[in-house]
PDB file of all heavy atoms in Angstrom:
ATOM      1  N   MET A  42       0.833  -1.203   0.006  1.00  0.00           N
ATOM      2  CA  MET A  42       0.002  -0.009   0.015  1.00  0.00           C
ATOM      3  C   MET A  42       0.861   1.248  -0.002  1.00  0.00           C
ATOM      4  O   MET A  42       1.934   1.294   0.581  1.00  0.00           O
ATOM      5  CB  MET A  42      -0.906   0.039   1.247  1.00  0.00           C
ATOM      6  CG  MET A  42      -2.093  -0.929   1.183  1.00  0.00           C
ATOM      7  SD  MET A  42      -3.173  -0.615  -0.253  1.00  0.00           S
ATOM      8  CE  MET A  42      -4.017   0.859   0.325  1.00  0.00           C
ATOM      9  N   PRO A 285       1.832  -2.820 -19.263  1.00  0.00           N
ATOM     10  CA  PRO A 285       0.649  -3.607 -18.938  1.00  0.00           C
ATOM     11  C   PRO A 285      -0.150  -3.069 -17.746  1.00  0.00           C
ATOM     12  O   PRO A 285      -1.293  -3.427 -17.582  1.00  0.00           O
ATOM     13  CB  PRO A 285       1.172  -4.994 -18.660  1.00  0.00           C
ATOM     14  CG  PRO A 285       2.661  -4.848 -18.468  1.00  0.00           C
ATOM     15  CD  PRO A 285       3.074  -3.612 -19.214  1.00  0.00           C
ATOM     16  N   LEU A 286       0.482  -2.241 -16.920  1.00  0.00           N
ATOM     17  CA  LEU A 286      -0.303  -1.686 -15.816  1.00  0.00           C
ATOM     18  C   LEU A 286      -1.086  -0.461 -16.238  1.00  0.00           C
ATOM     19  O   LEU A 286      -1.840   0.123 -15.498  1.00  0.00           O
ATOM     20  CB  LEU A 286       0.635  -1.290 -14.627  1.00  0.00           C
ATOM     21  CG  LEU A 286       1.344  -2.446 -13.954  1.00  0.00           C
ATOM     22  CD1 LEU A 286       2.057  -1.992 -12.693  1.00  0.00           C
ATOM     23  CD2 LEU A 286       0.375  -3.583 -13.595  1.00  0.00           C
ATOM     24  N   HIS A 287      -0.847  -0.002 -17.478  1.00  0.00           N
ATOM     25  CA  HIS A 287      -1.524   1.214 -17.968  1.00  0.00           C
ATOM     26  C   HIS A 287      -2.298   0.827 -19.229  1.00  0.00           C
ATOM     27  O   HIS A 287      -3.152  -0.038 -19.201  1.00  0.00           O
ATOM     28  CB  HIS A 287      -0.442   2.291 -18.196  1.00  0.00           C
ATOM     29  CG  HIS A 287      -0.907   3.667 -18.473  1.00  0.00           C
ATOM     30  ND1 HIS A 287      -2.223   4.083 -18.306  1.00  0.00           N
ATOM     31  CD2 HIS A 287      -0.249   4.778 -18.905  1.00  0.00           C
ATOM     32  CE1 HIS A 287      -2.331   5.362 -18.615  1.00  0.00           C
ATOM     33  NE2 HIS A 287      -1.150   5.830 -19.000  1.00  0.00           N
ATOM     34  N   GLY A 288      -2.000   1.448 -20.362  1.00  0.00           N
ATOM     35  CA  GLY A 288      -2.844   1.224 -21.570  1.00  0.00           C
ATOM     36  C   GLY A 288      -2.671  -0.159 -22.158  1.00  0.00           C
ATOM     37  O   GLY A 288      -3.533  -0.606 -22.949  1.00  0.00           O
ATOM     38  N   ALA A 290      -3.070  -2.789 -20.786  1.00  0.00           N
ATOM     39  CA  ALA A 290      -3.985  -3.772 -20.136  1.00  0.00           C
ATOM     40  C   ALA A 290      -5.069  -4.246 -21.061  1.00  0.00           C
ATOM     41  O   ALA A 290      -5.542  -5.384 -20.911  1.00  0.00           O
ATOM     42  CB  ALA A 290      -4.558  -3.138 -18.865  1.00  0.00           C
ATOM     43  N   LEU A 324      -6.620 -14.794  -8.213  1.00  0.00           N
ATOM     44  CA  LEU A 324      -6.769 -13.984  -7.013  1.00  0.00           C
ATOM     45  C   LEU A 324      -5.953 -14.567  -5.852  1.00  0.00           C
ATOM     46  O   LEU A 324      -5.377 -13.836  -5.046  1.00  0.00           O
ATOM     47  CB  LEU A 324      -8.241 -13.899  -6.599  1.00  0.00           C
ATOM     48  CG  LEU A 324      -9.128 -12.941  -7.440  1.00  0.00           C
ATOM     49  CD1 LEU A 324     -10.577 -13.001  -7.011  1.00  0.00           C
ATOM     50  CD2 LEU A 324      -8.605 -11.520  -7.361  1.00  0.00           C
ATOM     51  N   ARG A 327      -2.421 -13.364  -5.817  1.00  0.00           N
ATOM     52  CA  ARG A 327      -2.276 -11.912  -5.845  1.00  0.00           C
ATOM     53  C   ARG A 327      -0.962 -11.409  -5.231  1.00  0.00           C
ATOM     54  O   ARG A 327      -0.328 -10.509  -5.681  1.00  0.00           O
ATOM     55  CB  ARG A 327      -3.427 -11.228  -5.145  1.00  0.00           C
ATOM     56  CG  ARG A 327      -4.287 -10.427  -6.120  1.00  0.00           C
ATOM     57  CD  ARG A 327      -5.329  -9.648  -5.404  1.00  0.00           C
ATOM     58  NE  ARG A 327      -5.972 -10.360  -4.310  1.00  0.00           N
ATOM     59  CZ  ARG A 327      -6.569  -9.752  -3.308  1.00  0.00           C
ATOM     60  NH1 ARG A 327      -6.652  -8.432  -3.286  1.00  0.00           N
ATOM     61  NH2 ARG A 327      -7.159 -10.430  -2.349  1.00  0.00           N
ATOM     62  N   ASN A 328      -0.585 -12.092  -4.127  1.00  0.00           N
ATOM     63  CA  ASN A 328       0.640 -11.672  -3.426  1.00  0.00           C
ATOM     64  C   ASN A 328       1.903 -11.908  -4.243  1.00  0.00           C
ATOM     65  O   ASN A 328       2.926 -11.301  -4.019  1.00  0.00           O
ATOM     66  CB  ASN A 328       0.760 -12.401  -2.067  1.00  0.00           C
ATOM     67  CG  ASN A 328      -0.280 -11.913  -1.094  1.00  0.00           C
ATOM     68  OD1 ASN A 328      -0.859 -10.867  -1.352  1.00  0.00           O
ATOM     69  ND2 ASN A 328      -0.526 -12.671  -0.032  1.00  0.00           N
ATOM     70  N   ALA A 331       0.040 -11.654  -9.265  1.00  0.00           N
ATOM     71  CA  ALA A 331      -0.976 -12.021 -10.305  1.00  0.00           C
ATOM     72  C   ALA A 331      -2.084 -10.977 -10.279  1.00  0.00           C
ATOM     73  O   ALA A 331      -2.517 -10.521  -9.239  1.00  0.00           O
ATOM     74  CB  ALA A 331      -1.516 -13.409 -10.002  1.00  0.00           C
ATOM     75  N   ARG A 332      -2.557 -10.622 -11.445  1.00  0.00           N
ATOM     76  CA  ARG A 332      -3.594  -9.582 -11.579  1.00  0.00           C
ATOM     77  C   ARG A 332      -4.676 -10.067 -12.529  1.00  0.00           C
ATOM     78  O   ARG A 332      -4.421 -10.820 -13.444  1.00  0.00           O
ATOM     79  CB  ARG A 332      -3.000  -8.316 -12.191  1.00  0.00           C
ATOM     80  CG  ARG A 332      -2.091  -7.551 -11.280  1.00  0.00           C
ATOM     81  CD  ARG A 332      -2.942  -6.697 -10.340  1.00  0.00           C
ATOM     82  NE  ARG A 332      -2.124  -5.747  -9.556  1.00  0.00           N
ATOM     83  CZ  ARG A 332      -1.544  -6.046  -8.403  1.00  0.00           C
ATOM     84  NH1 ARG A 332      -1.640  -7.227  -7.883  1.00  0.00           N
ATOM     85  NH2 ARG A 332      -0.851  -5.098  -7.769  1.00  0.00           N
ATOM     86  N   ILE A 333      -5.903  -9.609 -12.271  1.00  0.00           N
ATOM     87  CA  ILE A 333      -6.984  -9.805 -13.234  1.00  0.00           C
ATOM     88  C   ILE A 333      -6.963  -8.522 -14.066  1.00  0.00           C
ATOM     89  O   ILE A 333      -7.306  -7.457 -13.561  1.00  0.00           O
ATOM     90  CB  ILE A 333      -8.355  -9.981 -12.552  1.00  0.00           C
ATOM     91  CG1 ILE A 333      -8.274 -10.917 -11.357  1.00  0.00           C
ATOM     92  CG2 ILE A 333      -9.400 -10.419 -13.558  1.00  0.00           C
ATOM     93  CD1 ILE A 333      -7.853 -12.312 -11.653  1.00  0.00           C
ATOM     94  N   MET A 334      -6.508  -8.662 -15.315  1.00  0.00           N
ATOM     95  CA  MET A 334      -6.304  -7.470 -16.112  1.00  0.00           C
ATOM     96  C   MET A 334      -7.651  -6.798 -16.432  1.00  0.00           C
ATOM     97  O   MET A 334      -8.645  -7.467 -16.634  1.00  0.00           O
ATOM     98  CB  MET A 334      -5.528  -7.804 -17.390  1.00  0.00           C
ATOM     99  CG  MET A 334      -4.177  -8.420 -17.121  1.00  0.00           C
ATOM    100  SD  MET A 334      -3.259  -7.603 -15.814  1.00  0.00           S
ATOM    101  CE  MET A 334      -2.418  -6.325 -16.729  1.00  0.00           C
ATOM    102  N   GLY A 335      -7.582  -5.457 -16.450  1.00  0.00           N
ATOM    103  CA  GLY A 335      -8.827  -4.707 -16.724  1.00  0.00           C
ATOM    104  C   GLY A 335      -9.600  -4.369 -15.467  1.00  0.00           C
ATOM    105  O   GLY A 335     -10.697  -3.840 -15.515  1.00  0.00           O
ATOM    106  N   PHE A 336      -9.025  -4.751 -14.301  1.00  0.00           N
ATOM    107  CA  PHE A 336      -9.658  -4.419 -13.019  1.00  0.00           C
ATOM    108  C   PHE A 336      -8.714  -3.598 -12.148  1.00  0.00           C
ATOM    109  O   PHE A 336      -7.495  -3.778 -12.194  1.00  0.00           O
ATOM    110  CB  PHE A 336     -10.025  -5.710 -12.256  1.00  0.00           C
ATOM    111  CG  PHE A 336     -11.266  -6.360 -12.776  1.00  0.00           C
ATOM    112  CD1 PHE A 336     -11.201  -7.192 -13.901  1.00  0.00           C
ATOM    113  CD2 PHE A 336     -12.505  -6.102 -12.198  1.00  0.00           C
ATOM    114  CE1 PHE A 336     -12.365  -7.739 -14.420  1.00  0.00           C
ATOM    115  CE2 PHE A 336     -13.653  -6.682 -12.736  1.00  0.00           C
ATOM    116  CZ  PHE A 336     -13.588  -7.496 -13.838  1.00  0.00           C
ATOM    117  N   GLY A 337      -9.281  -2.746 -11.339  1.00  0.00           N
ATOM    118  CA  GLY A 337      -8.523  -1.936 -10.412  1.00  0.00           C
ATOM    119  C   GLY A 337      -8.093  -0.642 -11.074  1.00  0.00           C
ATOM    120  O   GLY A 337      -7.946  -0.560 -12.306  1.00  0.00           O
ATOM    121  N   HIS A 338      -7.942   0.354 -10.270  1.00  0.00           N
ATOM    122  CA  HIS A 338      -7.537   1.665 -10.773  1.00  0.00           C
ATOM    123  C   HIS A 338      -7.016   2.475  -9.612  1.00  0.00           C
ATOM    124  O   HIS A 338      -7.531   2.384  -8.501  1.00  0.00           O
ATOM    125  CB  HIS A 338      -8.764   2.379 -11.418  1.00  0.00           C
ATOM    126  CG  HIS A 338      -8.366   3.474 -12.347  1.00  0.00           C
ATOM    127  ND1 HIS A 338      -7.981   4.720 -11.889  1.00  0.00           N
ATOM    128  CD2 HIS A 338      -8.240   3.510 -13.695  1.00  0.00           C
ATOM    129  CE1 HIS A 338      -7.664   5.466 -12.933  1.00  0.00           C
ATOM    130  NE2 HIS A 338      -7.812   4.761 -14.047  1.00  0.00           N
ATOM    131  N   ARG A 339      -5.991   3.280  -9.896  1.00  0.00           N
ATOM    132  CA  ARG A 339      -5.426   4.117  -8.838  1.00  0.00           C
ATOM    133  C   ARG A 339      -6.442   5.111  -8.342  1.00  0.00           C
ATOM    134  O   ARG A 339      -6.485   5.426  -7.133  1.00  0.00           O
ATOM    135  CB  ARG A 339      -4.186   4.835  -9.374  1.00  0.00           C
ATOM    136  CG  ARG A 339      -3.551   5.830  -8.413  1.00  0.00           C
ATOM    137  CD  ARG A 339      -3.065   5.209  -7.148  1.00  0.00           C
ATOM    138  NE  ARG A 339      -2.010   4.248  -7.281  1.00  0.00           N
ATOM    139  CZ  ARG A 339      -0.720   4.526  -7.487  1.00  0.00           C
ATOM    140  NH1 ARG A 339      -0.341   5.782  -7.586  1.00  0.00           N
ATOM    141  NH2 ARG A 339       0.175   3.576  -7.586  1.00  0.00           N
ATOM    142  N   LYS A 342     -12.464   3.895  -7.155  1.00  0.00           N
ATOM    143  CA  LYS A 342     -12.703   2.833  -6.169  1.00  0.00           C
ATOM    144  C   LYS A 342     -14.077   2.265  -6.357  1.00  0.00           C
ATOM    145  O   LYS A 342     -14.616   1.543  -5.501  1.00  0.00           O
ATOM    146  CB  LYS A 342     -12.459   3.363  -4.728  1.00  0.00           C
ATOM    147  CG  LYS A 342     -11.016   3.826  -4.516  1.00  0.00           C
ATOM    148  CD  LYS A 342      -9.961   2.724  -4.860  1.00  0.00           C
ATOM    149  CE  LYS A 342      -8.557   3.287  -5.045  1.00  0.00           C
ATOM    150  NZ  LYS A 342      -7.672   2.450  -5.861  1.00  0.00           N
ATOM    151  N   MET A 378     -15.482 -10.999  -9.685  1.00  0.00           N
ATOM    152  CA  MET A 378     -14.595  -9.973  -9.095  1.00  0.00           C
ATOM    153  C   MET A 378     -15.363  -9.092  -8.085  1.00  0.00           C
ATOM    154  O   MET A 378     -14.839  -8.738  -7.040  1.00  0.00           O
ATOM    155  CB  MET A 378     -13.982  -9.124 -10.207  1.00  0.00           C
ATOM    156  CG  MET A 378     -12.928  -9.832 -10.993  1.00  0.00           C
ATOM    157  SD  MET A 378     -11.465 -10.231  -9.995  1.00  0.00           S
ATOM    158  CE  MET A 378     -10.596  -8.670  -9.961  1.00  0.00           C
ATOM    159  N   LYS A 385     -13.002  -4.191  -1.767  1.00  0.00           N
ATOM    160  CA  LYS A 385     -11.687  -3.522  -1.721  1.00  0.00           C
ATOM    161  C   LYS A 385     -11.600  -2.394  -2.775  1.00  0.00           C
ATOM    162  O   LYS A 385     -10.535  -1.793  -2.933  1.00  0.00           O
ATOM    163  CB  LYS A 385     -10.558  -4.576  -2.040  1.00  0.00           C
ATOM    164  CG  LYS A 385     -10.381  -5.595  -0.956  1.00  0.00           C
ATOM    165  CD  LYS A 385      -9.175  -6.461  -1.248  1.00  0.00           C
ATOM    166  CE  LYS A 385      -7.918  -5.663  -1.109  1.00  0.00           C
ATOM    167  NZ  LYS A 385      -6.832  -6.317  -0.508  1.00  0.00           N
ATOM    168  N   ILE A 387     -12.030  -2.806  -6.051  1.00  0.00           N
ATOM    169  CA  ILE A 387     -11.452  -3.258  -7.346  1.00  0.00           C
ATOM    170  C   ILE A 387     -12.599  -3.596  -8.309  1.00  0.00           C
ATOM    171  O   ILE A 387     -13.326  -4.572  -8.106  1.00  0.00           O
ATOM    172  CB  ILE A 387     -10.520  -4.473  -7.123  1.00  0.00           C
ATOM    173  CG1 ILE A 387      -9.390  -4.069  -6.177  1.00  0.00           C
ATOM    174  CG2 ILE A 387      -9.925  -4.955  -8.477  1.00  0.00           C
ATOM    175  CD1 ILE A 387      -8.554  -5.248  -5.682  1.00  0.00           C
ATOM    176  N   ASN A 390     -12.038  -1.393 -15.107  1.00  0.00           N
ATOM    177  CA  ASN A 390     -11.596  -0.095 -15.609  1.00  0.00           C
ATOM    178  C   ASN A 390     -11.861  -0.055 -17.123  1.00  0.00           C
ATOM    179  O   ASN A 390     -12.418  -0.972 -17.688  1.00  0.00           O
ATOM    180  CB  ASN A 390     -10.105   0.139 -15.250  1.00  0.00           C
ATOM    181  CG  ASN A 390      -9.202  -0.945 -15.813  1.00  0.00           C
ATOM    182  OD1 ASN A 390      -9.297  -1.275 -16.992  1.00  0.00           O
ATOM    183  ND2 ASN A 390      -8.327  -1.517 -14.991  1.00  0.00           N
ATOM    184  N   VAL A 391     -11.485   1.057 -17.732  1.00  0.00           N
ATOM    185  CA  VAL A 391     -11.826   1.304 -19.154  1.00  0.00           C
ATOM    186  C   VAL A 391     -11.351   0.185 -20.067  1.00  0.00           C
ATOM    187  O   VAL A 391     -11.945  -0.134 -21.079  1.00  0.00           O
ATOM    188  CB  VAL A 391     -11.241   2.662 -19.633  1.00  0.00           C
ATOM    189  CG1 VAL A 391      -9.717   2.645 -19.634  1.00  0.00           C
ATOM    190  CG2 VAL A 391     -11.751   3.083 -20.992  1.00  0.00           C
ATOM    191  N   ASP A 392     -10.207  -0.451 -19.656  1.00  0.00           N
ATOM    192  CA  ASP A 392      -9.657  -1.489 -20.545  1.00  0.00           C
ATOM    193  C   ASP A 392     -10.467  -2.754 -20.612  1.00  0.00           C
ATOM    194  O   ASP A 392     -10.354  -3.507 -21.575  1.00  0.00           O
ATOM    195  CB  ASP A 392      -8.229  -1.812 -20.094  1.00  0.00           C
ATOM    196  CG  ASP A 392      -7.258  -0.708 -20.443  1.00  0.00           C
ATOM    197  OD1 ASP A 392      -7.419  -0.149 -21.528  1.00  0.00           O
ATOM    198  OD2 ASP A 392      -6.354  -0.391 -19.636  1.00  0.00           O
ATOM    199  N   PHE A 413      -5.669   3.143 -28.540  1.00  0.00           N
ATOM    200  CA  PHE A 413      -5.788   3.950 -27.318  1.00  0.00           C
ATOM    201  C   PHE A 413      -4.878   5.197 -27.471  1.00  0.00           C
ATOM    202  O   PHE A 413      -5.307   6.320 -27.241  1.00  0.00           O
ATOM    203  CB  PHE A 413      -5.354   3.055 -26.128  1.00  0.00           C
ATOM    204  CG  PHE A 413      -5.548   3.630 -24.727  1.00  0.00           C
ATOM    205  CD1 PHE A 413      -5.531   2.771 -23.649  1.00  0.00           C
ATOM    206  CD2 PHE A 413      -5.733   4.978 -24.506  1.00  0.00           C
ATOM    207  CE1 PHE A 413      -5.679   3.253 -22.365  1.00  0.00           C
ATOM    208  CE2 PHE A 413      -5.900   5.464 -23.217  1.00  0.00           C
ATOM    209  CZ  PHE A 413      -5.870   4.592 -22.144  1.00  0.00           C
TER     210      PHE A 413
HETATM  211  N1  ACO V  98      -6.319  -7.963  -9.814  1.00  0.00           N
HETATM  212  C1  ACO V  98      -6.105  -8.444  -8.575  1.00  0.00           C
HETATM  213  N2  ACO V  98      -5.819  -7.653  -7.502  1.00  0.00           N
HETATM  214  C2  ACO V  98      -5.699  -6.351  -7.734  1.00  0.00           C
HETATM  215  C3  ACO V  98      -5.929  -5.761  -8.984  1.00  0.00           C
HETATM  216  C4  ACO V  98      -6.235  -6.628 -10.078  1.00  0.00           C
HETATM  217  N3  ACO V  98      -6.430  -6.170 -11.302  1.00  0.00           N
HETATM  218  N4  ACO V  98      -5.755  -4.442  -8.890  1.00  0.00           N
HETATM  219  C5  ACO V  98      -5.459  -4.178  -7.609  1.00  0.00           C
HETATM  220  N5  ACO V  98      -5.421  -5.338  -6.887  1.00  0.00           N
HETATM  221  C6  ACO V  98      -5.161  -5.481  -5.458  1.00  0.00           C
HETATM  222  C7  ACO V  98      -3.664  -5.597  -5.192  1.00  0.00           C
HETATM  223  O1  ACO V  98      -3.279  -6.942  -5.148  1.00  0.00           O
HETATM  224  C8  ACO V  98      -3.563  -4.922  -3.840  1.00  0.00           C
HETATM  225  O2  ACO V  98      -3.974  -5.858  -2.859  1.00  0.00           O
HETATM  226  P1  ACO V  98      -3.403  -5.891  -1.373  1.00  0.00           P
HETATM  227  O3  ACO V  98      -3.844  -4.577  -0.767  1.00  0.00           O
HETATM  228  O4  ACO V  98      -4.007  -7.061  -0.769  1.00  0.00           O
HETATM  229  O5  ACO V  98      -1.911  -5.959  -1.534  1.00  0.00           O
HETATM  230  C9  ACO V  98      -4.591  -3.805  -3.903  1.00  0.00           C
HETATM  231  O6  ACO V  98      -5.555  -4.241  -4.850  1.00  0.00           O
HETATM  232  C10 ACO V  98      -4.021  -2.469  -4.333  1.00  0.00           C
HETATM  233  O7  ACO V  98      -3.317  -2.646  -5.556  1.00  0.00           O
HETATM  234  P2  ACO V  98      -2.184  -1.704  -6.085  1.00  0.00           P
HETATM  235  O8  ACO V  98      -1.498  -2.399  -7.221  1.00  0.00           O
HETATM  236  O9  ACO V  98      -1.363  -1.217  -4.928  1.00  0.00           O
HETATM  237  O10 ACO V  98      -3.016  -0.481  -6.629  1.00  0.00           O
HETATM  238  P3  ACO V  98      -2.479   0.671  -7.532  1.00  0.00           P
HETATM  239  O11 ACO V  98      -3.355   1.829  -7.297  1.00  0.00           O
HETATM  240  O12 ACO V  98      -1.009   0.843  -7.398  1.00  0.00           O
HETATM  241  O13 ACO V  98      -2.699   0.015  -8.952  1.00  0.00           O
HETATM  242  C11 ACO V  98      -3.415  -0.660 -11.056  1.00  0.00           C
HETATM  243  C12 ACO V  98      -3.632   0.322  -9.876  1.00  0.00           C
HETATM  244  C13 ACO V  98      -1.965  -0.688 -11.474  1.00  0.00           C
HETATM  245  C14 ACO V  98      -4.283  -0.205 -12.201  1.00  0.00           C
HETATM  246  C15 ACO V  98      -3.850  -2.064 -10.593  1.00  0.00           C
HETATM  247  O14 ACO V  98      -5.199  -2.074 -10.198  1.00  0.00           O
HETATM  248  C16 ACO V  98      -3.591  -3.142 -11.642  1.00  0.00           C
HETATM  249  O15 ACO V  98      -2.497  -3.667 -11.738  1.00  0.00           O
HETATM  250  N6  ACO V  98      -4.673  -3.471 -12.464  1.00  0.00           N
HETATM  251  C17 ACO V  98      -4.499  -4.404 -13.529  1.00  0.00           C
HETATM  252  C18 ACO V  98      -3.924  -3.697 -14.781  1.00  0.00           C
HETATM  253  C19 ACO V  98      -4.902  -2.774 -15.431  1.00  0.00           C
HETATM  254  O16 ACO V  98      -6.044  -3.143 -15.663  1.00  0.00           O
HETATM  255  N7  ACO V  98      -4.431  -1.572 -15.761  1.00  0.00           N
HETATM  256  C20 ACO V  98      -5.247  -0.584 -16.474  1.00  0.00           C
HETATM  257  C21 ACO V  98      -5.551   0.594 -15.582  1.00  0.00           C
HETATM  258  S1  ACO V  98      -6.581   1.772 -16.447  1.00  0.00           S
HETATM  259  C22 ACO V  98      -5.494   2.555 -17.482  1.00  0.00           C
HETATM  260  O17 ACO V  98      -4.343   2.725 -17.192  1.00  0.00           O
HETATM  261  C23 ACO V  98      -6.010   3.022 -18.753  1.00  0.00           C
END
Side-chain angles (χ1 to χ4, degrees):
M42 283 302 284
L286 295 189
H287 190 12
L324 285 176
R327 246 186 322 157
N328 290 344
R332 289 279 189 271
I333 314 299
M334 302 316 273
F336 281 83
H338 200 280
R339 175 62 63 78
K342 298 305 163 205
M378 287 294 281
K385 290 187 70 140
I387 302 170
N390 58 49
V391 66
D392 286 322
F413 187 162

